[in-house]
Amino acid sequence: MKEQQIQQSFEIAKARYAELGVDVEKAISELDKLPISLHCWQTDDVTGFEKADATLTGGIQTTGNYPGKARNIKEVMADLEKALSLIPGNHRVNVHAIYGDFSGGFADRDQIEPKHFQTWIDWAKKNNYGLDFNCSCFSHDKSADGLTLSHPDPAIREFWIEHVIRSRKIAEEMGRQLGSKCMHNIWIPDGSKDVTVNRLQYRQNLKDSLDKIFEYKTNDVYMKDCIESKLFGIGAESYTVGSHEFYMGYGVRNNIIVTLDGGHFHPTEIISDKISSLLLFLPEVMLHVTRGVRWDSDHVVNLNEEIVAIAQEIVRANAVDKVHIGLDYFDASINRIGAYVVGVRATQKALTQALLEPLAKLREFEANGQNFERMALLEEAKSLPWNAVYDYYCMKKGVIVGQDYIVNIQQYETDVTLKR
Ligand code: RNT
Ligand code: ZN
């Protein structure tokens, strides 16, 4: 698209929104302040770099074998830089503990230190990205039976407690060096394939482990803790220790942020409706935005109703500063850089729509009991020219507008990823 066309479409959109009392420039500046955390694990199908033949366990799975996956940290970084060059705004990168730099010698999970992540910190600093971090309680000998922090064996629990505390320290160091708060997320795969008669016991173990983990106090200027619930995993179909009720209870009692992953609930259950409830009891919420197809399949985020509803809830609940948006999907069947760009752009388009919503008018209708009017305006808002605003935003940020990023990614595939 030509610059002039983009500008003209934007002017028309701006006038259209002004009629509804919506300030387009303000929406753009708010969108520009909204970071999205790109999960590093889409680059290499969640294998990490602890050892060459690492396999993914923990009830999560990638399917597909698209050529060109990243084979080392350098390639992960190159791919993320490429993806981020096609996304407007300043964003964050979400790193898992299995992505440490072990070129100076391997360190097991209970031995990792900030030095193993200095490469990431230096890179983030250079590129002006924020960093988020995750302990990795899966793909390890000591999680082979599907249990970690809730394990009946205290020695195994201790191992994972140590790992998580070390990960929280690494997150703290990332936030300190970068001057940007690092969100540290705890997700564990613990559960069982078949019916357990010890539901309470495992949950008691997990609670005790978390209590020990949080005994170590971090500086919350530099990092914040999050805990992520789940419904089931592959091989853990009958019982998951860290259920939503478990973590919501734990989080509210201990003032720890709850992470809502869009794929971790029953198929018709949505996370958008949970945001306003959680925010009444917790100061912030972390999101793992994903697209489940029939199950927690971790498909690339597309611009569907739920992502729009999530964005609307963030804006309608006045929670732009309280909701942290992270992506969490791993599609190994398509171009992996494209997977990021599509997912982030879809998320930003949803946010654009939400920020441009004629909210004052809608709220007025609702307060007056004018429900037809509310419905009609909501319907109209869906097809207002929000995309002209997003295109304009991309152009202003010097990022490719519209579908032209497809050929750009194809070129990177030819030049870089297919040569791996
Ligand atoms: C798994 C959780 C978790 C992981 C990542 C790798 O179901 O969603 O967040 O996807 O930590
Ligand atoms: Zn997740």
Side-chain angles (χ1 to χ4, degrees), residues 237-253:
E237 291 85 358
S238 299
Y239 169 68
T240 291
V241 186
S243 60
H244 183 54
E245 292 71 18
F246 178 92
Y247 283 121
M248 200 167 77
Y250 195 91
V252 169
R253 174 172 284 184

Side-chain angles (χ1 to χ4, degrees), residues 133-185:
F133 197 59
N134 305 258
C135 51
S136 306
C137 301
F138 53 87
S139 305
H140 190 278
D141 293 347
K142 288 197 165 62
S143 66
D145 56 4
L147 297 169
T148 63
L149 293 174
S150 74
H151 206 287
D153 179 350
I156 300 215
R157 289 206 298 277
E158 278 308 320
F159 175 87
W160 291 110
I161 289 168
E162 181 64 29
H163 171 61
V164 180
I165 292 175
R166 281 171 180 263
S167 297
R168 294 175 63 234
K169 290 182 182 174
I170 291 163
E172 191 175 28
E173 184 58 16
M174 286 176 162
R176 196 186 65 75
Q177 287 193 39
L178 295 172
S180 167
K181 195 175 294 176
C182 175
M183 306 302 286
H184 177 266
N185 187 57

Side-chain angles (χ1 to χ4, degrees), residues 41 185 187 228 259 261 264 288 298 328:
W41 50 95
N185 187 57
W187 169 75
E228 181 182 6
T259 299
D261 183 310
H264 289 191
H288 274 188
D298 288 293
D328 184 15

Side-chain angles (χ1 to χ4, degrees), residues 79-123:
D79 291 356
L80 282 162
E81 280 176 44
K82 179 66 197 173
L84 281 159
S85 75
L86 296 169
I87 295 161
N90 291 326
H91 299 285
R92 313 179 60 81
V93 171
N94 200 0
V95 178
H96 241 289
I98 47 175
Y99 290 80
D101 182 348
F102 301 114
S103 53
F106 172 69
D108 203 354
R109 307 277 171 94
D110 63 339
Q111 299 295 320
I112 50 166
E113 291 176 46
K115 70 175 185 202
H116 300 110
F117 296 86
Q118 194 58 45
T119 315
W120 283 103
I121 300 172
D122 294 341
W123 171 75

Side-chain angles (χ1 to χ4, degrees), residues 197-245:
V197 292
N198 284 319
R199 283 177 193 267
L200 180 64
Q201 185 59 54
Y202 295 113
R203 289 190 171 131
Q204 181 69 56
N205 292 347
L206 176 55
K207 181 177 172 293
D208 292 347
S209 293
L210 291 172
D211 288 346
K212 287 193 178 130
I213 285 166
F214 294 123
E215 259 169 36
Y216 175 79
K217 299 291 173 216
T218 51
N219 185 336
D220 69 6
V221 171
Y222 303 135
M223 74 82 82
K224 281 243 169 133
D225 291 294
C226 310
I227 44 182
E228 181 182 6
S229 70
K230 195 165 176 174
L231 181 67
F232 80 98
I234 299 178
E237 291 85 358
S238 299
Y239 169 68
T240 291
V241 186
S243 60
H244 183 54
E245 292 71 18

